[in-house]
Amino acid sequence: MSETLTYILIIVGVLVTLLTVAAGNIYIERRLLSLWQDRYGPNRVGPFGILQVVADIIKIFTKEDWIPRFADKVVFVLAPGIILVTILITFAIVPFSPDIVIADLNIGLLFFLGLSSLGAYSLVLGGWASNNKYSLLGAMRGAAQMLSYEVFMGLSLMGVVMMTGSFSMVDIVEKQKEVWFVIPQFVGFVIFVIAGLAESHRIPFDIPESESELVAGFHSEYSGMKFGMFFVGEYLGITLISAIVTTIFFGGWLGPDFLPPLAWFTIKVFGFIAFIILLRASLPRPRYDQLIGFGWKILLPLSLINILVTGAIILSN
Amino acid sequence: MPSIAEEILQVFETQGFVTQKTQDDITTLWVPSSKLVELLQFVKNKMNRPFRMLYNISAIDERQRKHREGQPASDFTIVYHLFSFDRNEYLRIKVALLGEYPTLTSITALWENANWYEREVYDFFGVKFDGHPHMTRLMMPKSWKGHPLRKEHPTRATEMGQYNLTNELQDAELNALTFVPEEWGMSRTNGDNEFMFLNIGPQHPGTHGVLRVIVQLDGEEIADSVAEIGYHHRGAEKMAERQTWHSFIPYTDRIDYLGGVLNNLAYLLPVEKLAGIIVPDRAQVIRVMLCEFFRISSHLVWYGTFAADLGQLSPVFYTFTDRERVLEIVEAITGARMHPSWFRIGGTAMDLPNGWEKLVKTFIDYFPKRLNTYDKLIMQNSLIKARTKGIGIFTTKEAIEWGATGANLRATGLKHDFRKATPYSGYENFDFEIPVGANGDCYDRGLVRIEEMRQSLRIIDQCMKNMPSGPYKADHPLTTPPPKNHTMQDIETLINHFVGVTWGPVMPAGEAMIPIEASKGNNGYYLISDAHTNIYRNSIRTPSFAHIQMLPFITKGYSVADLLATLGAMDFVLADIDK
């Protein structure tokens, strides 16, 4: 098999898997949430309700795709695409196993940070183009939140980069053969998870949406498949954050030999996805200014101290 | 000690004042309209142990009333109910107005919460108040013709001619909903920046129903707001005038639709007062027990939705599951769940079923543990604390000024519960504490309600252990349906039974109001009987109405997120606001 063909196969394979996983996440989230909330969740369509996702997809594709007449049409249509595309592209640098990685860029981590910043545009443009006050407020909050948390997200990863001496994701995984970075870089890990949640605007950081306040926030006016794209984008975002955490802090594909590397990677990723869903089942939402204050007053100094201490230890060795 | 009337008459001499005797023994004074403001100023500010709270303003269309012995001539009577926390007593002041569309001086300068009450009277009776800042309709749509509680206004839609919603009419109705800031004395800019006017509701996930709040936003800070109500108005007071005394009971369940039989009680106490019925002990204790179950059930709905308003998704499922257990007991006893309509004039509909103690016992053993879990899950969560502590504060003085009652009042630190202060239905025989807060913020309002559930459980426990034996319904001809056992021996009982069941009971003419401590606050039905099978006038004072009227006042300067937290902590029911 030629190298090009392998690459194409990997790309197509990753793409198909990811979209399936994103859709599957919806099912997993609904079942897990209902488990924790003392109820059944979807259990009627197919065995264990597993075909619920299919039913939902059929529904969302056949729904009327409505654009409000007061919206800015071009931007309105473009916005949901941005989040989907940026997240899908980011997966290019994720090493699923030693053999399955689309692009082992030597600036892999920077690529991830850059693209995750682009995701904010989706929110802001969507909210702005909707020409709705709730959407605007949601977009405003979203912009402020994502811009703030990007700072700590980048800084929290610097400890790992210093210890590895490389931005390449494959190098980072290889470096963890001795010990997973979650142990030496525990502070970085905590900050990264918090920032990652904020970037994917999930509860407790779902302030751009904040259902009980802003109806549906930035995507109040969206319906049909455009809404579906925001939705799938959110679940892809969870998968991405889980995959990055796994790669950077939990040794990526590494694990005992009785399971193949890809299996280890998958298990870890789904573990994180379940954790993020558990957070949604348990935590309330802080107020917008409290969230930003928490970021700048606590997370920023913490991540700087983390870099300082890591640097000092590396130097002393 | 001189009576209230004597104290007032000492200052004002007689000057056309008339005292009226009512069945509920609330001091009732007729005042000439020219003296009204002066008198209210006196009782609010200058009198010893003053009447600080304006409890309700209502009106009576007297034009068809026959039994008005000893009362001054009047076409429309405006009734002011005041309450004094120092005296623990109500005061009723009446003003007689003559003419088809009379006017009266507004008292909004004296009590800010007179604002909505006066608008309500204008809306329902067409009586205008001079000097009111915003004399418009409150409940009915702007386009409504006529004033529904006037006796000439039709009671049923079928009497009103055919209704056609044409395109023009629909556009006109929609346009009438447009918010014009200038109408409310709001400016669109503060010089440099334009304000954003955000329309929250009537369809909004955070307002718990069809409540509309329009906020004037400076960034995310609330500069001012307007609460618009009436979207849930169903005309309960008008319906009462067509119903018999008995058949109105199911309508009360649906006023505070989470309160169930608590509403029945608030309505039936004055009815029984008018009829002169003494409710037997067993019926009283059964009533207390069910009322406390409904208090718990209502508070559980509040608890879950309060957490949901703050973004916590799960608690609502847990508290609703527990509420289900309460409703199962209610169902076993009454046969219905949310709206049992189970109390009757003179008692209850049935006796307790066999084995009720076991159900109640199981719940008493089960529930405290759950409450402890919720404490850890919700009230001790630092994010919840951050969202609710120091938010939406009002003081005891402000609460009384605005007519706030119930947990919202007690959260400010005032130890006042109408079950203890003005006991009814035998509450004086029960041993329970009145939980109070300290800061009057959203968090304290929550704490008070949670402790109230524990106290309700104590009351239920005492009911279970001390349930008296005896009849569950009074042996009185006006009890409905009347006891049937002697109908075949005694012609008088047979006649009473026949009349009570076919026409409905005829209550002796008079007036009564016995407010109760409902789950949301003080709920009172001011009933007027004209010796007829129908209720002549039924004025309902609901707690949520007063609480929502406070909203613009207590949310000023906070953010939109805080507004929703405040709404969540307030515990209101839309039907309880709009009636």
Side-chain angles (χ1 to χ4, degrees):
Chain A
M1 213 159 38
S2 76
E3 208 172 306
T4 328
L5 194 63
T6 322
Y7 267 113
I8 290 171
L9 272 181
I10 290 177
I11 291 170
V12 172
V14 166
L15 196 64
V16 170
T17 317
L18 280 177
L19 291 176
T20 320
V21 166
N25 274 349
I26 299 175
Y27 172 76
I28 293 173
E29 165 147 55
R30 291 180 63 182
R31 286 305 294 230
L32 284 181
L33 269 185
S34 46
L35 178 77
W36 287 315
Q37 291 173 346
D38 286 352
R39 54 192 181 91
Y40 289 114
N43 65 350
R44 287 288 181 276
V45 194
F48 305 106
I50 198 129
L51 294 179
Q52 183 69 45
V53 179
V54 181
D56 283 348
I57 290 173
I58 294 173
K59 183 192 82 174
I60 215 156
F61 269 108
T62 49
K63 276 231 161 172
E64 183 188 3
D65 193 6
W66 185 70
I67 300 173
R69 61 189 150 78
F70 44 78
D72 184 335
K73 274 207 185 69
V74 180
V75 185
F76 189 81
V77 176
L78 207 62
I82 296 176
I83 192 156
L84 210 61
V85 169
T86 52
I87 292 178
L88 281 175
I89 292 177
T90 317
F91 272 104
I93 52 124
V94 175
F96 297 91
S97 81
D99 316 316
I100 310 176
V101 50
I102 296 172
D104 177 21
L105 301 178
N106 57 2
I107 51 150
L109 212 51
L110 293 179
F111 186 77
F112 157 72
L113 290 173
L115 279 173
S116 79
S117 317
L118 275 180
Y121 279 98
S122 174
L123 233 97
V124 175
L125 293 179
W128 178 256
S130 298
N131 203 1
N132 168 314
K133 289 173 186 169
Y134 285 113
S135 307
L136 183 65
L137 282 177
M140 236 166 57
R141 290 175 172 194
Q145 174 181 326
M146 291 176 88
L147 285 178
S148 312
Y149 276 76
E150 239 148 53
V151 177
F152 332 121
M153 194 177 200
L155 286 176
S156 66
L157 294 179
M158 285 312 117
V160 171
V161 174
M162 286 156 86
M163 290 176 74
T164 317
S166 162
F167 281 108
S168 152
M169 301 295 262
V170 176
D171 289 351
I172 291 175
V173 176
E174 300 280 353
K175 193 80 179 177
Q176 298 181 66
K177 281 201 169 119
E178 301 288 311
V179 58
W180 291 353
F181 280 144
V182 65
I183 293 166
Q185 280 298 317
F186 187 73
V187 178
F189 161 70
V190 172
I191 297 171
F192 180 77
V193 168
I194 295 173
L197 280 173
E199 286 289 292
S200 55
H201 45 89
R202 290 275 303 183
I203 275 182
F205 300 101
D206 67 334
I207 284 174
E209 270 179 63
S210 48
E211 192 227 342
S212 55
E213 293 156 33
L214 298 184
V215 188
F218 67 96
H219 61 56
S220 296
E221 294 291 349
Y222 281 89
S223 58
M225 197 49 215
K226 288 199 207 63
F227 165 75
M229 275 159 87
F230 274 124
F231 209 60
V232 172
E234 182 182 322
Y235 284 95
L236 274 177
I238 300 169
T239 318
L240 177 66
I241 291 299
S242 305
I244 299 282
V245 170
T246 306
T247 311
I248 297 178
F249 294 103
F250 282 81
W253 66 74
L254 299 174
D257 278 339
F258 61 88
L259 280 178
L262 187 60
W264 279 117
F265 183 81
T266 315
I267 288 170
K268 290 174 191 171
V269 169
F270 276 103
F272 271 103
I273 291 175
F275 171 70
I276 292 174
I277 295 170
L278 178 61
L279 284 184
R280 181 174 175 192
S282 44
L283 289 181
R285 174 191 313 121
R287 208 174 51 215
Y288 164 66
D289 54 309
Q290 290 167 346
L291 182 79
I292 305 284
F294 175 71
W296 289 105
K297 286 180 194 154
I298 296 173
L299 292 186
L300 180 68
L302 258 184
S303 50
L304 288 175
I305 291 170
N306 184 41
I307 293 174
L308 219 70
V309 173
T310 313
I313 292 172
I314 291 174
L315 272 182
S316 66
N317 288 347
Chain B
M1 207 156 72
S3 71
I4 303 169
E6 283 164 8
E7 274 181 66
I8 293 171
L9 294 177
Q10 270 169 17
V11 177
F12 286 82
E13 289 147 16
T14 43
Q15 297 180 351
F17 285 40
V18 177
T19 49
Q20 184 193 338
K21 181 96 185 86
T22 55
Q23 272 92 328
D24 53 13
D25 293 325
I26 293 176
T27 309
T28 306
L29 264 187
W30 286 82
V31 178
S33 57
S34 54
K35 288 277 167 207
L36 173 73
V37 177
E38 203 184 324
L39 173 85
L40 290 176
Q41 267 166 354
F42 171 72
V43 294
K44 185 187 177 189
N45 295 326
K46 297 186 194 127
M47 200 175 179
N48 275 334
R49 297 183 296 150
F51 289 84
R52 291 253 184 239
M53 187 166 88
L54 175 66
Y55 178 78
N56 191 12
I57 303 177
S58 56
I60 310 162
D61 181 351
E62 307 260 24
R63 291 171 300 171
Q64 292 178 14
R65 195 168 163 195
K66 298 194 184 78
H67 300 274
R68 301 189 68 250
E69 295 80 14
Q71 300 178 30
S74 172
D75 287 329
F76 291 92
T77 305
I78 312 295
V79 187
Y80 297 83
H81 280 106
L82 310 176
F83 185 75
S84 163
F85 285 89
D86 302 324
R87 291 167 188 264
N88 195 19
E89 221 170 325
Y90 294 91
L91 172 62
R92 183 181 292 137
I93 292 167
K94 288 184 168 184
V95 181
L97 297 176
L98 293 169
E100 276 296 285
Y101 289 93
T103 55
L104 186 63
T105 324
S106 164
I107 58 158
T108 41
L110 194 55
W111 268 291
E112 272 192 89
N113 69 332
N115 190 316
W116 276 16
Y117 289 115
E118 287 180 355
R119 281 177 68 194
E120 193 187 9
V121 168
Y122 163 69
D123 194 358
F124 289 160
F125 291 91
V127 177
K128 283 209 170 183
F129 291 86
D130 292 333
H132 189 286
H134 200 84
M135 195 79 261
T136 54
R137 288 185 182 277
L138 183 71
M139 297 285 186
M140 309 302 285
K142 278 183 190 162
S143 56
W144 194 264
K145 300 265 187 313
H147 300 275
L149 282 179
R150 294 170 74 95
K151 290 289 175 185
E152 76 266 18
H153 193 279
T155 324
R156 294 196 280 186
T158 44
E159 297 162 12
M160 295 170 65
Q162 194 180 348
Y163 180 78
N164 284 318
L165 185 64
T166 56
N167 285 339
E168 296 78 52
L169 188 57
Q170 188 176 0
D171 287 346
E173 294 280 3
L174 280 175
N175 285 331
L177 293 176
T178 312
F179 179 72
V180 185
E182 289 77 14
E183 282 179 8
W184 297 88
M186 292 180 177
S187 60
R188 286 176 193 265
T189 61
N190 65 354
D192 305 327
N193 296 312
E194 241 182 87
F195 289 118
M196 179 196 260
F197 290 93
L198 185 66
N199 185 47
I200 299 177
Q203 313 296 339
H204 187 284
T207 55
H208 299 224
V210 278
L211 171 69
R212 185 181 179 197
V213 186
I214 300 135
V215 290
Q216 182 185 30
L217 285 180
D218 185 5
E220 279 229 27
E221 192 187 301
I222 298 172
D224 203 351
S225 58
V226 171
E228 272 256 294
I229 60 168
Y231 295 93
H232 208 306
H233 179 64
R234 295 160 303 174
E237 295 180 355
K238 186 73 174 176
M239 282 191 237
E241 295 176 13
R242 282 201 65 217
Q243 298 295 329
T244 68
W245 296 91
H246 173 62
S247 65
F248 185 64
I249 298 172
Y251 290 92
T252 62
D253 282 57
R254 286 145 182 90
I255 305 277
D256 169 7
Y257 52 70
L258 297 175
V261 295
L262 280 160
N263 300 280
N264 298 166
L265 189 67
Y267 165 67
L268 287 174
L269 287 174
V271 174
E272 284 154 2
K273 195 68 158 181
L274 286 171
I277 296 174
I278 307 289
V279 180
D281 288 347
R282 184 174 174 84
Q284 288 203 344
V285 179
I286 297 176
R287 281 179 173 188
V288 167
M289 184 170 82
L290 277 162
C291 283
E292 293 311 314
F293 268 124
F294 266 101
R295 195 182 309 278
I296 293 178
S297 152
S298 167
H299 282 2
L300 279 174
V301 172
W302 160 80
Y303 207 173
T305 51
F306 169 63
D309 281 343
L310 300 172
Q312 204 175 15
L313 291 177
S314 299
V316 73
F317 294 100
Y318 309 143
T319 61
F320 270 60
T321 314
D322 285 345
R323 173 176 176 253
E324 197 58 33
R325 294 189 174 230
V326 177
L327 292 181
E328 272 168 16
I329 298 173
V330 170
E331 195 181 0
I333 294 176
T334 69
R337 289 156 47 85
M338 273 177 83
H339 306 135
S341 319
W342 195 63
F343 292 176
R344 294 288 182 271
I345 302 172
T348 60
M350 284 167 276
D351 206 349
L352 290 171
N354 290 336
W356 65 274
E357 297 99 331
K358 206 176 149 219
L359 289 174
V360 174
K361 181 94 185 51
T362 320
F363 183 75
I364 291 175
D365 292 340
Y366 160 84
F367 193 52
K369 280 180 240 141
R370 297 288 288 191
L371 280 178
N372 294 339
T373 315
Y374 298 149
D375 276 350
K376 285 188 201 121
L377 181 69
I378 305 170
M379 296 315 278
Q380 288 170 20
N381 185 311
S382 56
L383 282 175
I384 298 267
K385 283 184 182 168
R387 285 292 305 276
T388 53
K389 279 199 169 176
I391 303 295
I393 297 180
F394 52 83
T395 62
T396 309
K397 191 163 176 283
E398 288 161 346
I400 293 172
E401 191 69 27
W402 284 90
T405 49
N408 294 341
L409 173 65
R410 287 188 286 277
T412 64
L414 184 68
K415 201 167 188 162
H416 191 278
D417 187 314
F418 288 91
R419 287 175 293 177
K420 276 235 195 282
T422 50
Y424 52 89
S425 198
Y427 267 109
E428 64 274 18
N429 303 325
F430 292 93
D431 179 25
F432 62 98
E433 302 293 319
I434 307 173
V436 287
N439 307 316
D441 56 9
C442 291
Y443 189 74
D444 278 12
R445 274 166 236 161
L447 287 182
V448 169
R449 283 200 188 88
I450 292 154
E451 190 50 36
E452 265 182 34
M453 286 196 263
R454 295 203 170 91
Q455 297 301 327
S456 290
L457 216 56
R458 267 179 77 186
I459 299 176
I460 293 171
D461 190 44
Q462 292 167 45
C463 289
M464 185 184 68
K465 289 183 178 141
N466 306 305
M467 182 61 73
S469 54
Y472 60 91
K473 211 187 253 176
D475 189 7
H476 188 284
L478 290 173
T479 301
T480 316
K484 213 181 165 183
N485 14 355
H486 300 298
T487 42
M488 293 301 153
Q489 284 100 47
D490 172 7
I491 184 67
E492 204 58 37
T493 321
L494 182 64
I495 292 171
N496 285 330
H497 187 270
F498 184 76
V499 170
V501 170
T502 50
W503 294 351
V506 177
M507 291 298 152
E511 304 180 6
M513 177 180 80
I514 302 176
I516 67 157
E517 180 78 35
S519 59
K520 315 270 181 297
N522 183 308
N523 186 4
Y525 285 65
Y526 173 44
L527 298 176
I528 294 175
S529 171
D530 201 24
H532 202 275
T533 51
N534 296 355
I535 307 166
Y536 186 81
R537 167 84 172 110
N538 172 13
S539 160
I540 309 170
R541 193 272 184 192
T542 55
S544 303
F545 185 90
H547 294 152
I548 289 303
Q549 187 176 193
M550 281 185 92
L551 191 69
F553 168 72
I554 55 175
T555 52
K556 205 167 276 185
Y558 294 104
S559 73
V560 179
D562 294 332
L563 169 76
L564 274 301
T566 310
L567 277 177
M570 187 79 96
D571 190 22
F572 59 94
V573 154
L574 257 297
D576 198 38
I577 304 170
D578 291 351
K579 291 171 276 190

